[in-house]
Amino acid sequence: MTEEHTFRTEGLTKTYGEGVAAVHALRGVDLDIPRGEIVVLLGPSGSGKSTLLNILGGLDRATSGDAFFESDNLTEMSDRALTRYRRDHVGFVFQFYNLMPSLTARENVELVTEIASDPLGVEEALSLVGLEERMDHFPAQMSGGEQQRVAIARAIAKNPTVLFCDEPTGALDSTTGRAVLHVLNDVNARLGATVLIVTHAAATASMAHRVIHFADGAIREVVVNETRLSPDEIEW
Amino acid sequence: MRALDHKLMRDLWRIRGQAGAIALVVAVGVSLLIMMSGMLQSLRETRVQYYESYRLAEVFAPVTRAPARVIERVADLPGVAAAEGRIQGAALLDMPGQALPVRAIALSLPRSMEPRLNALYLKEGRFLSAGHMDEVVVLESFARAHDLALGDHLTATMQGSRRTFQIVGFAAAPEYLFTTAPGEFVPDDARFAALWMHEEALAAAFDLKGAVNEVLIELERGANAQDVLTRVDHLLDRYGGQGAYERKDSMSDRFISEEISGLVATSVVVPPIFLGVAAFLLYIVITRLVQAEREQIGLIKAFGYTDFEVALHYFKMVLVIAVVGAAMGCAIGLWGGRFMAGLYQSVYHFPFLVFRVEPSSLVTGVITSILAASAGGIFVLRGVFRLTPAVAMRPPAPMDFSRTGALNNRLRRWLDQPTRMVLRRILRNPGRIGGAVLGIAVGMGLSSAQMSVMSGFDDTLDLTFGVIDRSDVAVSFFEPMPAATAYAMAHLPGVIEVEPMRSVSAVLRNGRESYRGSVTGLVENARLNRAVRKDMSDITMPAQGIVLARALADTLNIGPGETLRVEVLDGRRPVIEVQVAEVAQTLLGAPAYMRFEGLNRALGEWGRVSAVYLRVDAAEMDALYAALKEMPTVAGVTQREDARAAMQKLMDTGAGAMRYVMAAIAGVITFGIVYNAARIAFGEQSRDLASLRVMGFTRGETSYVLLGELVVVVLLAVPLGIGIGYYLSFLIAAGFSTDLYQIPTGFRAEAFGFAGVAVLLATVISGALVRRDIDKVDLVETLKTRE
């Protein structure tokens, strides 16, 4: 385990249910994710990519195998420790934004900075996503793209070691989607956070440093992009 | 519609916790409605039937000694339908194995055993047989209390002579639905008896041959009772008439009337509260359901179901809950009614008291609950109608909180984000929060008021038997005795202190207000039975003037300094005008006090004593009782502890027991609302809560966001509940207070504290139940779903 790796997994499996009804979501995944990269997990529905993301994000537990975050084994952590891990290191961006409707954009971000150990400034985080003008609006007063950008600002405001994005552009049109990918690209470049993106959209893969193809709960192929495209150049 | 009905069943199953809680609140409301309306109807009908079947007199006219032929003249008076004369007198029973003699009233029966008025309901044994002067029929409730059997013998002292009788029958009588010894307020089956014996036997005992000392009257339909009373009093005046009075002024009938009016008051106020709460709960639960199912509603409408069909689907859900609740309510009401009838039967001696509910009452109960539930449902259905398929199928916009932002700047400095979330949700739904606050407050108010009244009863007992009456034993005489005889009682075994008292029956009059009661003469500085002020300080009996109990002064609408007319009903029946000197604090009865000497002077008698209060060495109590039993002049012996215990028993049964039931079910409302509020908050926020967990908020921090709202609701509700309870306790106490007993009210910290703790407990339990759901939330699943 070197310091260059954010995550490393060994023989990671995840099975839902038992006996004949058992569903093998992950069948022994071995993986290294280097620090500071944008990594895209690609694959059809049910291929296990979201399950992997959830385990690495501390939301779910593996059935067997190990998953290391830096030098800590996530599979051995208590619930409390996993909460701590999410609080200190992890930023999440979801397909449906999951903003608190009762808090303004600024307050949604503050929600995270209040509990983080080394947060960015709230205004800095919001200007990173280009929303400094809309800080005092409630989610109901914003478009889907704007809401997703607030969600990203909220995720990065804690200055996370790693940023998890589950279908971040899934609910957005191409223009807004591109803008969101730009923001993710910027965050990676400026903060050095490792960014993991789960998506169906193969096109997104062209902006990643590394693309991991999933099928049937296992890694089929890992592709390292020699040249990365800017989000503007991506075919939607 | 079959598919929709399947959905209906599954939806109901899914929300079974909440639906069950609401159905329970409906059930409580309906059961109270049925129980009380049935109980009222049963009591009223039974009373009327019993009175009619056994020809209970409508007017009673006690008289010193009237020749039997006067009865015919009374019967001829205008407005009188029938008249009957009888002899009645005090007797003292020597019960085997009991130290204390028992007071009794002996009543005459004509030879036919069928008096024109006040007939007997023979329950066991037989009537008196002709010529057997030593036979007696005994009040059944007394016989039961003492395990008497037919054929047993009773030793009775009447007018100083002691005789033994054989019991041949047990009977009930409509004039003794409720048995209290004369001059007492507390019913006690064991401590007071009614005996029926041959007219000749009683005439001999009371020296009333060819005469009667009570005239019973039945009125003609539509006759003016007041006019008849005046005519009867005029006619009987020369025979020592002691003032005729109506049936409704008799102790037994008054008690049952008080009970009925208490029931009416409660049945009007309480069930609607429950149904209102149920309507409110249904409203919020179904609203939430419709919100959560907007997509499904859109889809169903897109399939081609009409607005009406979809609305009906949700309305059916309301109906099912209401009908299930009402059905449970009917069952509980019928069962509870029977139980209550049993309780009543133990206090009131009806020959039968069948709890009966008119089918129409059941129908009313069910319809009322459906209407109440529909009132809650109807607002929601409007929302279902308005939802077009296109709008419904779009993901819902985030709830708009922009209007609540106003507080933002002021609050920003000192509130963290989770607290802001809590406050904004409250500000956004003021109606719903207000409803929950009000509902909990009403529930709490109801239970705290009931508990206030309960502890008020305790105060009544404490004041009466702890402060006012500090004697151990009260001994009354058949005839007023010379003071010297009374003071001689100090020589009886165990007697430490003797205090004489004079008492006369009287009608007290102030202008048009009048009250039939008595005047009590107390010694100047009475110690064993005294009058006290509100601050519990002694009232020294003034040389002139009269001291009235608060309840009496209120009834007569009179105050200190004003003049009261006292029409004495005993002896030479003087009428005196006397100034009200002071108003005393009493909670039991409505006494009027004068100085012992002053009262005797007004009566034209000197140093006469009706009763003495004794302080007694407890160790010698039995010896004292034995001595008293041998004294022919003693009419009654009352031990303070017995009177207190009997009073306590009265408060704990009948309407008294109802108060405990009410306090308990008020708790049901509180829990129903608190739990529903918690569940709704959880339903609406589960996704937000999961998001917080994902962001690294701990379970405790997440619960704060959810339960914060609940805490605010409860914190607002508790003071409001105290306020409601405080005022409600005055209403309830006023409803229960009579001139027979008064219930003091005031701020009772323990009642409100207890109710408050119950609300907090309901909150903690609800919170714990919902918190368990937070812990179970599948973070991954919740985040992936759209709403």
Side-chain angles (χ1 to χ4, degrees), chain A residues 187-216:
Chain A
V187 167
N188 169 254
R190 290 210 221 165
L191 304 177
T194 307
V195 178
L196 257 74
I197 304 172
V198 159
T199 180
H200 288 92
T204 312
S206 46
M207 67 176 272
H209 294 98
R210 190 178 296 257
V211 182
I212 302 172
H213 292 269
F214 263 80
D216 288 331

Side-chain angles (χ1 to χ4, degrees), chain A residues 49-65:
Chain A
K49 56 191 192 306
S50 289
T51 305
L52 177 66
L53 186 91
N54 291 335
I55 292 171
L56 296 182
L59 299 178
D60 204 350
R61 289 179 177 283
T63 309
S64 66

Side-chain angles (χ1 to χ4, degrees), chain A residues 86-87 98 102 107 110, chain B residues 417 420 424 693 701 783:
Chain A
R86 292 201 300 271
R87 192 169 180 139
N98 292 24
S102 54
E107 290 166 341
E110 281 172 350
Chain B
Q417 305 310 324
R420 286 186 208 187
R424 287 224 177 90
R693 292 279 292 125
E701 287 162 337
L783 293 175

Side-chain angles (χ1 to χ4, degrees), chain A residues 45-109:
Chain A
S45 286
S47 59
K49 56 191 192 306
S50 289
T51 305
L52 177 66
L53 186 91
N54 291 335
I55 292 171
L56 296 182
L59 299 178
D60 204 350
R61 289 179 177 283
T63 309
S64 66
D66 294 310
F68 291 95
F69 164 70
E70 294 176 348
S71 56
D72 300 323
N73 192 342
L74 295 174
T75 56
E76 287 170 0
M77 282 190 190
S78 65
D79 262 8
R80 192 179 291 270
L82 281 177
T83 300
R84 193 78 234 170
Y85 159 66
R86 292 201 300 271
R87 192 169 180 139
D88 294 341
H89 298 289
V90 182
F92 279 101
V93 178
F94 293 96
Q95 184 175 6
F96 300 113
Y97 334 131
N98 292 24
L99 297 179
M100 300 297 140
S102 54
L103 297 179
T104 60
R106 180 204 298 274
E107 290 166 341
N108 261 288
V109 177

